[in-house]
Amino acid sequence: MEIYLVGGAVRDQLLGLPVKERDWVVIGETPESMVKQGFRPVGKDFPVFLHPQSREEYALARTERKTAPGYKGFTVHASPDVSLEQDLIRRDLTINAMAMTPEGLLVDPYGGRSDLERRIFRHISPAFAEDPVRILRIARFAARYADLGFTLAEETRVLMQSMVTAGEVDHLVPERVWAELFKALNEKSPSAFFYTLKDCAALDKIFPEISCLFGVPQPEKHHPEIDTGIHAMLCLEQAALLSPSPEVRFAALVHDLGKGLSPEANWPHHYAHETQGLPVLERMCARLRVPNSFKSLAMQVMQYHTHCHRAFELRASTITDMLAALGAYKPNNKLPEFLLACEADAKGRTGFEHSPYPQAGLLSAAAKEAASVDTSAILNSEFKGADIGEAIRRLRIKAVAEFIKSE
């Protein structure tokens, strides 16, 4: 059997990075011959098989032909006469179109190693323009490899922009957009995902809520970076440094969507942006099928991040009520994630990257004090209905007030 290691495994091995998954391409075989050799078929759209021992994926060499708009509009041809070079050229980038024999011999017909050494993302053929998902994939690769100095070839950027102009990205389905965004949020430099989309004019089409933030000014005193879009990217970068959680990173990214609605007459101020943005975020999450765990934290951060920043100025009653709204008194709460996203917002400003954020410690400790109050006397009293909740609230306000006074 003639087999070659292909795709990301070859790319990452040459970069000296850990190889998480290994995919193989098989030349000169048929589905029947694969099954006879013990491989289990698993591919739905094209012949893919699992190795009987390693469980790694082995795909028959294939070609693809564009037959309709969008990323599903392809006809696949897999047969023993398809060569390795034909299989490789249907891939997106030169750095993903290399193969390696089981003995470690590199097969590089399209200059992938040279582009890898020069840290360049370059499309392998004009057929790149046939699949709009490739725009998202390039952006995700930018998020993964930004720290290695990778840049986008100008001809590839121009091609991606022409795809946007031609309306190819309009065929992207929400589930695929979210899948790529989720992966990007888990990468080392997720802001590069959005900058790459912006550079090829795809950001406005795919994430219009984020795109419209660029060019919107903020008060220079509090935001030396001025531009709200840049602030959103700085917040995302800080969130990536503070937490591996994609939920925290998403919340930091979208917390200021309301500023995109501020009338120009009010610029650089953004009155009530914390609540103005909630419907925008609601619609965005609905459109992209964003999971509830991401949405709920993002909604909380959007609504209460200003309160969090002003924690040392708030009354005990305001802190108590905010913590209740955040669910901080429940055993399984997301207060730590909320505080991390707010800290990313505070540090996501030019010149404030290394500033301390004591508000997080204050609110975390206040939540513990309020949650630890003994409510048994109230629960066992003659209080009923809403009176029970109000009595517990007052008890917690007292505990928070005493804690703040002791600090």
Side-chain angles (χ1 to χ4, degrees):
M1 181 182 293
E2 186 180 353
I3 62 173
Y4 297 89
L5 185 67
V6 293
V10 178
R11 177 195 67 229
D12 288 347
Q13 183 172 321
L14 293 176
L15 285 172
L17 300 175
V19 175
K20 297 179 181 179
E21 293 183 359
R22 301 200 309 169
D23 295 322
W24 301 83
V25 68
V26 183
I27 309 297
E29 298 290 339
T30 65
E32 294 75 19
S33 68
M34 295 293 288
V35 171
K36 285 183 180 179
Q37 296 177 72
F39 288 80
R40 182 165 68 87
V42 292
K44 294 181 180 179
D45 300 321
F46 47 84
V48 179
F49 304 83
L50 293 184
H51 190 281
Q53 278 80 46
S54 70
R55 317 307 292 174
E56 292 176 339
E57 289 191 356
Y58 285 65
L60 297 187
R62 65 186 189 273
T63 60
E64 295 174 347
R65 182 170 59 88
K66 183 76 167 177
T67 56
Y71 74 97
K72 287 190 174 181
F74 290 90
T75 296
V76 175
H77 171 70
S79 72
D81 61 353
V82 176
S83 68
L84 176 63
E85 289 74 15
Q86 287 176 309
D87 181 272
L88 293 177
I89 201 171
R90 67 175 175 78
R91 299 170 188 269
D92 50 6
L93 300 176
T94 59
I95 63 171
N96 294 330
M98 295 180 286
M100 187 175 288
T101 66
E103 295 75 31
L105 178 64
L106 184 68
V107 181
D108 180 23
Y110 305 111
R113 185 164 197 168
S114 174
D115 282 343
L116 199 67
E117 291 171 349
R118 291 186 292 169
R119 303 296 195 255
I120 294 175
F121 297 130
R122 191 192 314 277
H123 65 282
I124 191 170
S125 78
F128 177 97
E130 297 175 348
D131 186 355
V133 171
R134 287 174 170 171
I135 293 177
L136 291 169
R137 279 173 50 84
I138 297 299
R140 175 163 56 83
F141 285 138
R144 179 181 298 178
Y145 299 116
D147 63 313
L148 297 181
F150 273 85
T151 59
L152 184 63
E154 176 60 16
E155 62 267 32
T156 302
R157 187 199 66 78
V158 170
L159 181 60
M160 290 164 63
Q161 187 165 344
S162 71
M163 293 168 66
V164 175
T165 303
E168 273 289 331
V169 297
D170 299 337
H171 298 283
L172 289 169
V173 297
E175 291 82 1
R176 193 57 191 266
V177 173
W178 171 252
E180 293 297 326
L181 173 56
F182 175 78
K183 292 175 183 177
L185 289 172
N186 283 281
E187 299 293 359
K188 191 171 184 179
S189 306
S191 64
F193 176 81
F194 296 96
Y195 279 124
T196 301
L197 294 178
K198 184 175 184 295
D199 287 345
C200 70
L203 188 64
D204 185 54
K205 291 279 189 177
I206 304 174
F207 301 105
E209 302 87 351
I210 296 171
S211 179
C212 73
L213 298 179
F214 286 92
V216 175
Q218 303 166 107
E220 186 174 3
K221 176 182 178 182
H222 302 294
H223 288 276
E225 72 284 352
I226 300 177
D227 191 290
T228 305
I230 293 176
H231 170 57
M233 296 299 103
L234 292 175
C235 290
L236 182 55
E237 291 170 8
Q238 287 298 318
L241 293 173
L242 290 168
S243 172
S245 164
E247 287 91 345
V248 170
R249 298 178 181 193
F250 180 73
L253 168 70
V254 301
H255 78 282
D256 268 349
L257 293 186
K259 291 181 178 179
L261 301 178
S262 298
E264 289 189 30
N266 292 341
W267 286 358
H269 303 290
H270 302 279
Y271 305 113
H273 73 278
E274 302 91 345
T275 53
Q276 294 286 341
L278 293 174
V280 179
L281 179 57
E282 184 85 42
R283 291 191 294 270
M284 179 183 180
C285 290
R287 186 182 80 252
L288 298 178
R289 316 287 200 270
V290 176
N292 285 334
S293 62
F294 286 79
K295 175 185 172 182
S296 59
L297 179 63
M299 298 283 277
Q300 289 181 341
V301 173
M302 176 177 284
Q303 187 169 0
Y304 292 107
H305 67 273
T306 304
H307 272 41
C308 187
H309 299 332
R310 296 176 55 241
F312 288 96
E313 306 166 26
L314 300 179
R315 292 176 295 183
S317 59
T318 303
I319 291 178
T320 303
D321 292 342
M322 177 183 72
L323 292 172
L326 296 174
Y329 307 133
K330 298 177 182 178
N332 297 317
N333 63 74
K334 293 290 185 179
L335 182 62
E337 290 81 359
F338 169 84
L339 295 173
L340 282 170
C342 290
E343 182 175 354
D345 176 29
K347 292 182 174 180
R349 299 175 295 161
T350 301
F352 290 84
E353 296 86 354
H354 303 292
S355 298
Y357 193 68
Q359 295 92 326
L362 173 72
L363 291 176
S364 181
K368 290 180 180 179
E369 289 292 330
S372 65
V373 297
D374 186 359
T375 60
S376 58
I378 295 174
L379 296 174
N380 295 325
S381 69
E382 295 181 356
F383 284 114
K384 294 183 179 180
D387 292 336
I388 295 178
E390 180 58 24
I392 292 176
R393 173 178 175 269
R394 291 177 181 175
L395 200 60
R396 285 173 172 162
I397 291 173
K398 181 180 179 182
V400 170
E402 291 177 351
F403 165 74
I404 293 174
K405 187 177 179 179
S406 68
E407 286 295 293

